[in-house]
Structures are given as C-alpha cells and as structure tokens.
Amino acid sequence: MGKVISVVNQKGGVGKTTTAINLSACLAMAEKKVLLIDFDPQGNTSSGIGIDRKEIGISIYNILIGETDIKNAIHKTEMEYLCVIPATMDLIGAEIELVGMEERETRLKIALEQIKDEYKFIIIDTPPSLGLLTINSLTAADSVLIPLQCEYYALEGLSHLLRTIKLVKSSLNPCLTTEGILLTMHDGRTLISNQIFEEVKRYFSNYLFKTIIPRNVRLSEAPGYGKPIVFYDIKSKGADAYLELAREVIANAEKGPGSRVGSTYS
C-alpha cells in the first residue's frame, strides 16, 4: 500500500510546491511509482511539472465534488514512474462547496482508497491555508512533511500548524505521523538561517530532516521551464539536496511507523 505524504505549511513562499515537485521527481528517479496531487487552486505544481493548465479537462476539483472517478484525472508525465493529478482555479470554489457535503473532511481520503495500492508514494501539495482543502489532505495522509523557510516569521507559525495537525490526529486521523520538518531556502552565510536551524534543532530535533534545502538560483528557475530540478540541472546544489531528501523519505518508509521522523504526535 502506498504512503500518502501531505506537504503542508499555512504560510506561503516557504518552498512547499518546490518540495512537492522535486521530492516526487527524485522518488520517481529511484524507480518508486509516485502520484503527485496538486491540491492548491493556484496550480503551480501542475505547471511546474510541465502540464499546460489550459489543456486540463478533469482535475482534482472534479474528484472532490464527486463528478468522476479519480482514475480519470491522472496524467502521465515525461518520467516513467511519476503521474500527476492537476488543479485548476475551479478548486477555489471547493472550500465553499464542501461545507454542505457529507464527509466533507474525508472526501480526498475516500477517493484515494481506490488507487492507493497502485503507488509507492502519493505526495499532496496543499494550499497556503488551514481550510477544508488542507484538512482533507491531512485526513488522507499517513504523514506530514513541513517545509520551513529559514526566516523568523516562518518559525512563528510552526507551533500553530503543529496544533492543527494534532487536532486532526485526535479527531479525524489517529494514525497521522510527522514525516519531518524540512528547512528550506537556507543560506549558511546569513545569521538568521543559522539561528532558525539552531532553534528548530533545539525544540523539534525528533522531527528534523538531516537534509537542508539551500537557497539556489537553479531551483527557482526550473518551474519556469516546467521541469523538476533533476531535469533542469541535475548537477546543481538544489538537485543534490532533493535527491538526498528522497533517500531519507525512502529510508523512513522502509522503517515504518515509530522511526525517528515518523514519530506520532502526543
């Protein structure tokens, strides 16, 4: 059965979409069958992986509101082991539409049950909010990956996010674990990056990935070409970092629940 990892942070601009795209691509390079779900109405994951949003017919929105089978929304990519379910701007209305629906917090989970056995990993890129879309992703997930930008304001919101995850665990998804906190946009030359690293290490060492994603120009350029970093510039520091992250995620999946970064919330 595939492992569902939700990439979550209510703050925008922390490297969430970059992480979802590049982790998925690196897992696929390791010949792990991956499904990447764009769960953000902005659709940046879809375009960043090379899908022309003008040509999207069926999207994750159609699945959420029950219009069609989830298998009809799956798109192949140029990578043999990577498929994508794209998002469109229609997803903006889903937050409102879901309010009046039965099982509104579990609609994604129910849909994924049909295909979970077909993939080794299912990666969900969530919107920068803690609304019903993000709640759906947390309810459907086995674990949560939290990208954390190396700046002060990003750290401020971490405790609030962890409380939300704990609430979902207690009320909707008792098996939810933490995949890890991933430091992103790290610049070792700056004092703030090093301070954030030390603070997270001090309070959340059990959840911290060994991998740190550097601030890297090639990483920021790649989405404009609709390519993950391993296709755009595999020799870059950004590619090295995400390949290393994929190794950690694979190792964690092999260990199973209760491993270092797979500890459950108390």
Side-chain angles (χ1 to χ4, degrees):
M1 182 175 288
K3 184 175 187 179
V4 182
I5 301 174
S6 185
V7 183
V8 178
N9 195 316
Q10 78 273 26
K11 187 178 185 300
V14 300
K16 185 170 50 60
T17 295
T18 298
T19 294
I21 291 172
N22 291 300
L23 173 58
S24 296
C26 290
L27 290 170
M29 281 193 71
E31 298 186 354
K32 307 298 182 183
K33 196 171 181 185
V34 181
L35 176 63
L36 173 60
I37 300 177
D38 190 349
F39 216 46
D40 186 343
Q42 297 176 84
N44 291 333
T45 293
S46 303
S47 57
I49 207 72
I51 292 178
D52 186 346
R53 284 184 285 179
K54 296 177 183 177
E55 298 180 1
I56 296 173
I58 300 172
S59 70
I60 191 65
Y61 167 78
N62 304 101
I63 308 308
L64 277 183
I65 64 172
E67 282 186 348
T68 187
D69 188 279
I70 192 169
K71 293 182 179 180
N72 296 328
I74 297 173
H75 291 239
K76 293 182 178 180
T77 71
E78 57 184 323
M79 300 185 76
E80 180 182 356
Y81 290 90
L82 177 60
C83 292
V84 180
I85 296 180
T88 64
M89 294 297 287
D90 291 339
L91 198 56
I92 293 174
E95 291 269 9
I96 299 171
E97 292 179 61
L98 285 172
V99 170
M101 291 184 177
E102 294 182 3
E103 302 174 320
R104 61 184 183 182
E105 299 95 350
T106 59
R107 296 185 74 84
L108 180 61
K109 180 179 181 178
I110 293 168
L112 289 181
E113 287 173 355
Q114 301 178 47
I115 58 169
K116 197 172 179 180
D117 291 342
E118 299 178 21
Y119 298 91
K120 184 68 175 178
F121 294 98
I122 298 175
I123 309 295
I124 308 171
D125 181 30
T126 59
S129 69
L130 294 177
L132 268 175
L133 293 180
T134 298
I135 297 302
N136 260 266
S137 77
L138 291 172
T139 304
D142 297 303
S143 65
V144 185
L145 191 158
I146 304 170
L148 186 70
Q149 187 181 2
C150 290
E151 65 169 36
Y152 176 73
Y153 291 114
L155 186 58
E156 264 194 336
L158 181 57
S159 58
H160 180 56
L161 174 59
L162 292 176
R163 284 196 298 271
T164 299
I165 295 170
K166 186 176 180 179
L167 180 61
V168 171
K169 177 179 170 60
S170 65
S171 59
L172 294 167
N173 186 1
C175 296
L176 186 64
T177 67
T178 233
E179 189 70 25
I181 296 171
L182 176 69
L183 294 179
T184 63
M185 304 180 195
H186 181 270
D187 186 343
R189 300 168 299 177
T190 65
L191 180 61
I192 187 63
S193 282
N194 294 316
Q195 285 179 333
I196 293 299
F197 171 73
E198 291 301 327
E199 285 292 301
V200 176
K201 186 177 179 182
R202 181 182 306 166
Y203 294 106
F204 304 103
S205 59
N206 289 339
Y207 302 128
L208 188 61
F209 279 107
K210 293 178 181 178
T211 302
I212 297 175
I213 307 301
R215 189 174 290 279
N216 182 253
V217 173
R218 305 301 274 175
L219 268 178
S220 61
E221 292 174 347
Y225 293 86
K227 295 180 181 295
I229 190 62
V230 288
F231 275 19
Y232 184 65
D233 186 355
I234 198 168
K235 295 181 179 180
S236 67
K237 290 182 179 180
D240 287 342
Y242 277 109
L243 286 166
E244 187 58 37
L245 176 63
R247 293 186 191 101
E248 282 199 71
V249 169
I250 291 168
N252 199 40
E254 291 172 351
K255 291 175 186 176
S259 58
R260 177 185 60 82
V261 294
S263 305
T264 55
Y265 291 97
S266 58

